[in-house]
């Protein structure tokens, strides 16, 4: 049997394994995205917040999360350690975030919503300052944290991809400038 015939047999015998991944613009493989999640900047940012949010005990759809990002994307929380005037950053891959933050989000419950956004676009690249509020339960009166996600995105001609997210979460006593609450 030729290699081509063997490959065709394998594809027909196991289509789920062959179609279970999507090739990114960088050549890496990710789970296929829902078309509705990646059709616009609004849609992909809404999907990002939706997939990490949920009640305690609810499993998140981490393949959906992965499908939004380039495989090489970085997620970078920043902040000032207590008593320090020098900021720190922790650089994670998408899988690092899933492994390190996923269990906490699922065990504790976590709801994050966008409350404002400032966006700039040049051709196929977008930068969004997405202001958020985080709550343990969706009906909590006040957020336990607010902050800004600095989200970089790219359009590849067919869909949007998240290339990087850097964020700074702050307590409720910290004043975020009003210009970041526009939508």
């Amino acid at each position: 049997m030729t290699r081509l015939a063997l490959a065709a047999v394998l594809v027909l015998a196991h289509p789920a394994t062959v179609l279970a991944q999507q090739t990114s613009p960088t050549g890496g493989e990710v789970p296929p995205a829902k078309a509705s999640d990646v059709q616009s900047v609004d849609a992909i940012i809404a999907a990002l917040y939706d997939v990490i949010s949920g009640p305690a005990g609810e499993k998140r759809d981490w393949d959906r999360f992965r499908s939004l990002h380039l495989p090489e994307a970085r997620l970078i929380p920043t902040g000032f350690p207590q008593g320090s005037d020098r900021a720190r950053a922790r650089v994670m891959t998408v899988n690092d975030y899933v492994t390190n933050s996923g269990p906490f989000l699922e065990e504790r419950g976590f709801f994050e919503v966008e409350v404002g956004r400032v966006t700039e676009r040049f051709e196929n690249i977008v930068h969004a300052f997405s202001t958020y509020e985080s709550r343990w339960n969706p009906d909590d009166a006040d957020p336990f944290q607010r902050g800004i996600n600095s989200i970089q995105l790219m359009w590849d001609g067919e869909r949007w991809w998240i290339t990087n997210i850097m964020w700074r979460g702050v307590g409720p006593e910290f004043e975020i400038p009003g210009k970041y609450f526009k939508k």
Side-chain angles (χ1 to χ4, degrees):
M1 184 178 285
T2 69
R3 278 190 224 177
L4 184 57
L6 180 58
V9 168
L10 291 174
V11 167
L12 293 173
H14 302 291
T17 58
V18 173
L19 301 176
Q21 298 291 308
Q22 177 180 19
T23 303
S24 77
T26 61
E29 299 292 321
V30 298
K34 294 181 191 178
S36 60
D37 282 351
V38 296
Q39 67 187 354
S40 68
V41 170
D42 288 341
I44 197 168
I45 291 175
L48 173 67
Y49 284 110
D50 182 57
V51 77
I52 63 172
S53 296
E58 181 178 285
K59 184 96 172 108
R60 305 304 192 269
D61 185 349
W62 294 117
D63 278 346
R64 181 182 182 204
F65 183 77
R66 288 179 183 95
S67 78
L68 304 174
H69 298 81
L70 289 177
E72 302 82 5
R74 295 295 178 253
L75 292 95
I76 309 167
T78 68
F80 292 85
Q82 182 130 7
S84 176
D85 58 356
R86 185 164 183 217
R88 301 286 189 263
R90 183 167 51 118
V91 179
M92 296 180 281
T93 65
V94 172
N95 286 328
D96 290 340
Y97 181 86
V98 169
T99 300
N100 297 330
S101 299
F104 176 80
L105 299 177
E106 293 172 356
E107 290 168 16
R108 177 67 174 94
F110 180 80
F111 293 85
E112 193 164 272
V113 296
E114 183 179 53
V115 294
R117 185 186 319 154
V118 175
T119 305
E120 295 207 15
R121 180 176 182 168
F122 175 74
E123 294 206 355
N124 70 319
I125 62 172
V126 166
H127 175 254
F129 263 170
S130 175
T131 306
Y132 65 85
E133 292 183 344
S134 304
R135 289 174 170 77
W136 299 121
N137 296 291
D139 54 353
D140 289 348
D142 296 313
F144 70 86
Q145 180 175 297
R146 295 177 300 138
I148 294 181
N149 286 314
S150 172
I151 305 170
Q152 292 178 310
L153 305 115
M154 73 163 282
W155 174 257
D156 71 359
E158 295 179 7
R159 60 157 287 182
W160 286 98
W161 296 86
I162 297 172
T163 62
N164 290 296
I165 306 171
M166 184 183 312
W167 68 92
R168 171 74 166 109
V170 296
E173 71 285 347
F174 189 89
E175 188 69 31
I176 295 176
K179 70 181 183 179
Y180 296 114
F181 287 96
K182 297 179 193 172
K183 264 217 166 173

